[in-house]
Amino acid sequence: MKALLVGILFFVLQGCEENSFLNSHWKEPMGEQGPPPSHFSQLEKSLEPQSCGTCHKPQFEAWQNSLHSQTISPGVLWQLPGLGHEESQKCFRCHSPLAETKQYLSIEEGWKHTYPEEWNSYLPQGSHGLICASCHVRNQQRFGPPSLNGTIGTEKNLPHGGYTTALEFESSLFCKNCHESSESGKKINGKRMMETYSEWKESDFAKQGIQCQNCHMPDRKHEWKGIHDLEMVKQGLSFSFQVKEEGNYILIRGSFTSEKIGHKFPSYAVPKVYVRFVLENGNRKEMLLREEVIGRFVDIFLEKEIYDNRLSPGETFSMEERIEKKDIDKDVWVRMEVDVDPGEMYVRMFRHNLENRTSLKLSEKSIPILKQALAEKERSYYRLFTSKQRAPGSLPR
């Protein structure tokens, strides 16, 4: 039955860019939820994630450890004083979409001072970010995907009045709202800052009906793992590394193929992937033979693209190097390393702003938050792959 539902979903929504449900669901500005039905219990009224987790424990626990739970992070907060109220609303559209959470953030920044008292009955001040209700609640009505037993329609015999099912929750179109810049958005070298949905739509994954949720929410897990997760990234790539003799030379070849990634790798302009060949002798002395960077490299002012060599789905990156055998000493190894820096562009941007805090007139409030944001991005760097082989003709000492 589940396979049948996926098939129905694919044929109904394939190529459908205009969708009345999603147009309404993500309409901006999003309206207030309004007063909860009077017959709801206090738990049913609450839109706090912890309350949702009372019944939806696996989803809540997964969300708690996901980046979706951290959309209002130091990386966003340090920018708010400089952006001001109006510009910040563009960030909140995805990072904190509910009318209530937007207002609470505006109050914390001093831009607003009051909010309706009735909000405290379902979402007290202090709640913000991308919470359960950001996707699942509109006008105090609950929405979600069809149940796994194949039921399609409104489920009535459930808490908080049941929920309305929508196939769109299992469609890549649902994710497009926040993971695809608008056509009118800023472009660099003719490309928008985010085109993940378009990249997927042009891929074989879309043709086969494989949606974003199939990879990023397997079995409906609310984890949304991506570039920050080593195992997730490794599962999407296949690696090859060879060191062999070729005449008077030693040929070093390394490659990896984007086999199970339905959009460009890495996505967006932020992450970078580093590929290196390193020579290592018996005394553990190392020499960098070659390094290349994969990604879309733009300046921190978002005005110029220096290069874009990201991999499309199915594409292979290859790198090779030759060294003369006469230059090889005893007990020499060659190592291939692949590192991932999920926040590379932010690291450049944050460092620049800290180094120029005086001329940029950063507020005293922003500086410690910016330092925290930079530290978080620097910690996200990780080693994705490494392999080592002895150079041909090299013998242990």
Side-chain angles (χ1 to χ4, degrees), residues 252-256 265-266 271-278 288-297 307-311 316-321 335-341 344 381:
I252 307 165
R253 281 184 177 153
S255 68
F256 57 85
F265 174 75
K272 302 295 180 295
V273 178
Y274 301 88
V275 189
R276 303 184 196 92
F277 291 153
V278 179
L288 179 65
L289 294 176
R290 184 167 179 176
E291 179 180 70
E292 292 199 21
V293 185
I294 303 168
R296 184 185 181 193
F297 197 96
Y307 61 81
D308 184 356
N309 61 354
R310 294 173 295 165
L311 302 183
T316 297
F317 168 84
S318 297
M319 186 169 85
E320 69 176 42
E321 185 74 11
R335 189 171 75 242
M336 177 181 173
E337 300 174 347
V338 181
D339 289 355
V340 176
D341 190 352
E344 185 277 333
Y381 191 105

Side-chain angles (χ1 to χ4, degrees), residues 44-61:
E44 288 174 300
K45 291 177 181 178
S46 177
L47 299 184
E48 292 188 277
Q50 293 85 348
S51 298
C52 301
T54 303
C55 295
H56 303 281
K57 186 176 180 180
Q59 292 86 349
F60 170 71
E61 290 179 347

Side-chain angles (χ1 to χ4, degrees), residues 19-26 30-33 40 47 52 56 59 98 131-147 153-156 158-170 174 217 220 222:
N19 180 286
S20 58
F21 170 78
L22 291 177
N23 287 344
S24 172
H25 201 72
W26 294 117
M30 198 174 288
E32 299 175 20
Q33 293 298 328
F40 276 17
L47 299 184
C52 301
H56 303 281
Q59 292 86 349
L98 296 183
I131 61 177
C132 311
S134 302
C135 292
H136 291 286
V137 184
R138 297 290 183 273
N139 301 317
Q140 292 294 354
Q141 183 178 356
R142 274 63 173 174
F143 295 86
S147 60
T154 303
E155 304 287 341
K156 292 297 185 185
L158 292 171
H160 48 65
Y163 75 101
T164 299
T165 61
L167 286 169
E168 286 82 356
F169 275 85
E170 303 232 287
F174 193 90
M217 296 183 70
R220 294 188 176 176
H222 284 49

Side-chain angles (χ1 to χ4, degrees), residues 21 55 71 155 175 228 232 246 248 386:
F21 170 78
C55 295
T71 55
E155 304 287 341
C175 311
H228 291 78
M232 175 77 174
E246 192 176 78
N248 294 322
T386 186

